[in-house]
Amino acid sequence: MLTISSLDATDIAILKLLQIDASLTHKEISFQLRKSVATVHERTRRLKEQGYIKAVVAILDRKKIDRSLIAFSQVLLNDHSAETLGSFEREVSKYPEVMECFQMTGAFDFILRIATSDMDAYHDFYRHKLAILPYIKTVESFFVLSQTKSDTAYPL
Amino acid sequence: MLTISSLDATDIAILKLLQIDASLTHKEISFQLRKSVATVHERTRRLKEQGYIKAVVAILDRKKIDRSLIAFSQVLLNDHSAETLGSFEREVSKYPEVMECFQMTGAFDFILRIATSDMDAYHDFYRHKLAILPYIKTVESFFVLSQTKSDTAYPL
DNA sequence: ATTGAAATGTAGGAAAC
DNA sequence: GTTTCCTACATTTCAAT
């Protein structure tokens, strides 16, 4: 079992619940945890204020909003100065198709997670937005056939 | 500009807002969109009922809850029957370290997104949980040095 | 830090347009 | 599909422990 500095069992229980369903009311949470509503209120206020909870967001069904294709693109740059890395990150992060950008260890420099409507849209993105960025040596792209597990909740 | 079958401009505007901050009240949304509260209420009810909104979740700061290390592990199996693929997906999805599991096109079969506290914990996961699964031919792991962009909101 | 209770604000439902 | 009205419920504050 995990213990996290400055979080007690009540905090962790609240985070567990809110990671799964943040539309739970304080009343429902307080019932489940056998605490008062005011306590739950105070704890969640603190968890937000201290940055444990970064955001409360709606997760959409991407297939219903015309983002059926997910690609992972592995990018290798041909220059690894801090300026080049930083400028690549900044430029690529501006594109709405880029959901996530990770700088990586290993055989390439970045993994991008790209969401588009279909292969045509990915192709457009690749040709007109990604490939034109300077300092790119190689891009390898892999496409999602199916997504078996999709969790935003970390185990606690 | 995107149009999505059966969603009008108001629906899309509501989804845009809720993807960023689902703790907005209907009153705040109705003010921003210059619509009545009841309209916003009815629209959000429909968007949930029809499955556009799959969930409302709290996004935690993973570094504060001891999930500092993210790995992408690319797995190649040595058998591609439906049973083997399915059984791998099922087994791997049971592990709490596995946040996401994607079946892929291309040079390998799956990408896993693994969240652990540190390299030791990843190593444990790799040796005792991932590598012991049957039908695994190769696993290549890449580790996140830094995460520049991290969006759960799709552009609409 | 936690509680119950009071005050304020919001959600959710009904009926009319 | 949108509005206004109404009631029930949820959030937030506060005094006390």
Side-chain angles (χ1 to χ4, degrees), chain A residues 50 56 64 74 103 145 149, chain B residues 22 50 64 74 103 145:
Chain A
Q50 298 186 350
V56 172
K64 293 204 170 185
Q74 302 178 344
Q103 195 185 344
L145 288 173
K149 186 170 185 178
Chain B
Q50 298 185 351
K64 293 204 172 187
Q74 302 178 342
Q103 195 185 344
L145 288 173

Side-chain angles (χ1 to χ4, degrees), chain A residues 48-65:
Chain A
K48 281 179 191 170
E49 188 214 20
Q50 298 186 350
Y52 288 94
I53 297 172
K54 287 202 297 186
V56 172
V57 304
I59 303 294
L60 307 190
D61 185 334
R62 65 182 168 80
K63 300 204 173 165
K64 293 204 170 185
I65 54 163

Side-chain angles (χ1 to χ4, degrees), chain B residues 72-80 88 106-112 122 126 130-131 133-142:
Chain B
F72 286 94
S73 295
Q74 302 178 342
V75 178
L76 178 62
L77 303 186
N78 52 29
D79 168 30
H80 296 89
F88 176 81
F108 47 86
D109 298 310
F110 292 96
I111 290 186
L112 309 178
Y122 179 82
Y126 176 77
L130 186 54
L133 292 177
Y135 300 110
I136 289 188
K137 192 167 183 182
T138 61
V139 178
E140 264 197 283
S141 297
F142 301 95

Side-chain angles (χ1 to χ4, degrees), chain A residues 8 35-36 38-39 42-43:
Chain A
D8 68 9
K35 297 276 172 182
S36 75
T39 297
E42 172 58 17
R43 294 302 191 104

Side-chain angles (χ1 to χ4, degrees), chain B residues 17-141:
Chain B
L17 290 172
L18 293 181
Q19 278 198 114
I20 304 297
D21 184 0
S23 68
L24 288 172
T25 64
H26 292 171
K27 194 180 176 185
E28 288 166 321
I29 295 169
S30 69
F31 177 77
Q32 287 196 47
L33 304 187
R34 277 148 248 262
K35 297 277 170 181
S36 76
V37 173
T39 297
V40 173
H41 176 70
E42 172 56 17
R43 296 305 189 99
T44 53
R45 191 198 61 72
R46 244 192 64 242
L47 290 166
K48 279 178 192 170
E49 188 214 19
Q50 298 185 351
Y52 288 94
I53 297 172
K54 287 203 297 185
V56 173
V57 303
I59 303 294
L60 307 191
D61 185 334
R62 65 181 167 81
K63 300 202 176 168
K64 293 204 172 187
I65 54 163
D66 198 34
R67 296 279 150 174
S68 293
L69 183 66
I70 300 289
F72 286 94
S73 295
Q74 302 178 342
V75 178
L76 178 62
L77 303 186
N78 52 29
D79 168 30
H80 296 89
S81 66
E83 300 82 57
T84 302
L85 294 169
S87 126
F88 176 81
E89 286 177 345
R90 251 175 289 115
E91 290 308 310
V92 96
S93 294
K94 287 181 191 164
Y95 296 137
E97 294 90 343
V98 176
M99 302 295 292
E100 299 180 291
C101 173
F102 303 92
Q103 195 185 344
M104 306 298 293
T105 62
F108 47 86
D109 298 310
F110 292 96
I111 290 186
L112 309 178
R113 181 210 200 103
I114 315 289
T116 59
S117 58
D118 55 24
M119 195 55 85
D120 280 353
Y122 179 82
H123 192 206
D124 273 3
F125 167 78
Y126 176 77
R127 282 183 39 182
H128 300 121
K129 293 183 170 175
L130 186 54
I132 62 163
L133 292 177
Y135 300 110
I136 289 188
K137 192 167 183 182
T138 61
V139 178
E140 264 197 283
S141 297

